[in-house]
Amino acid sequence: MERITWDQFFMAQSHLLALRSTCTRLAVGATVVRDKRIIAGGYNGSITGDEHCIEEGCYVVDNHCVRTVHAEMNALLQCAKYGTPTKGADLYVTHFPCLPCTKSIIQAGIERVYYATDYKNNPYAQELFKKAGVEVLHVPFDECKIDFLRNEKLALYIDMLNALRESGMPAEKLLPYEQKVSALFGKIQ
Ligand SMILES: [Zn+2]
Ligand SMILES: [Zn+2]
């Protein structure tokens, strides 16, 4: 297996954190990194001890769920809680940060923000990042990097495609399946 890059490693960590999210509207994860070390992490969820959206439903005001603390804020607050400086650190986040998170990220002294997915990219947030000299980098997450069964799955798909071919399925009917496998795993032949 190919060695994972640091960017993909920290992005994977943020995507793992997102799996802990308690809000049904969007699952976000964020990781604070300094000198290639994870110093904090967060996901969007209720404050400690409060009900969870996944159990009680979202608390929606003006089309926003107000119950949760956002992933980026939770990661920064973890640093505040345990006395870890955030100045000069990097932040890896699954989605482009909202405006309030953007302001907190800047104010906490984060120097670089890596995000995987565009999400309602707020133009004022983009402007604020630029003004503050915070580097914002789009790093799409490659899910294949953390698929530990990748080779086994690919072998299974290839066996199935071959079985279909041998059973007489015409090439034009087989093609869309081959294309899907190629899209998931890269070139297969
Ligand atoms: Zn919610
Ligand atoms: Zn936010």
Side-chain angles (χ1 to χ4, degrees):
M1 205 170 173
E2 199 187 312
R3 199 176 181 215
I4 195 169
T5 63
W6 282 117
D7 280 355
Q8 288 297 320
F9 174 79
F10 297 127
M11 214 40 115
Q13 172 66 19
S14 294
H15 282 74
L16 276 177
L17 280 161
L19 296 177
R20 291 283 309 155
S21 169
T22 62
C23 185
T24 49
R25 289 165 77 90
L26 187 69
V28 182
T31 307
V32 184
V33 173
R34 179 196 293 285
D35 299 332
K36 299 200 166 39
R37 276 160 190 82
I38 293 168
I39 56 172
Y43 53 85
N44 57 322
S46 314
I47 58 167
T48 310
D50 195 19
E51 290 103 359
H52 294 318
C53 299
I54 44 171
E55 287 151 10
E56 303 290 321
C58 284
Y59 188 161
V60 180
V61 177
D62 294 335
N63 207 28
H64 289 284
C65 176
V66 296
R67 195 195 301 282
T68 57
V69 179
H70 286 187
E72 304 92 314
M73 281 304 298
N74 265 328
L76 295 174
L77 290 168
Q78 198 176 73
C79 293
K81 193 171 180 179
Y82 296 106
T84 309
T86 47
K87 188 171 160 54
D90 298 335
L91 183 86
Y92 286 77
V93 60
T94 53
H95 297 75
F96 192 91
C98 70
L99 183 58
C101 284
T102 295
K103 291 191 277 188
S104 302
I105 290 164
I106 293 169
Q107 207 65 353
I110 297 288
E111 271 182 8
R112 267 173 304 272
V113 173
Y114 300 83
Y115 75 97
T117 306
D118 288 302
Y119 183 72
K120 302 178 185 173
N121 302 18
N122 185 301
Y124 185 47
Q126 286 171 311
E127 190 190 322
L128 288 179
F129 275 137
K130 207 170 165 192
K131 267 196 205 160
V134 175
E135 223 182 313
V136 180
L137 299 118
H138 185 206
V139 177
F141 178 50
D142 181 2
E143 283 87 351
C144 285
K145 290 281 183 289
I146 55 159
D147 185 351
F148 296 104
L149 297 174
R150 184 184 188 279
N151 294 340
E152 288 82 349
K153 287 179 193 169
L154 179 57
L156 172 65
Y157 288 135
I158 288 174
D159 281 353
M160 288 165 78
L161 288 174
N162 287 338
L164 286 170
R165 194 175 295 114
E166 280 159 22
S167 73
M169 186 186 254
E172 69 270 19
K173 273 195 138 180
L174 207 53
L175 187 64
Y177 297 107
E178 288 171 336
Q179 285 170 337
K180 277 182 191 166
V181 173
S182 290
L184 278 172
F185 295 94
K187 254 274 119 310
I188 54 166
Q189 261 114 11

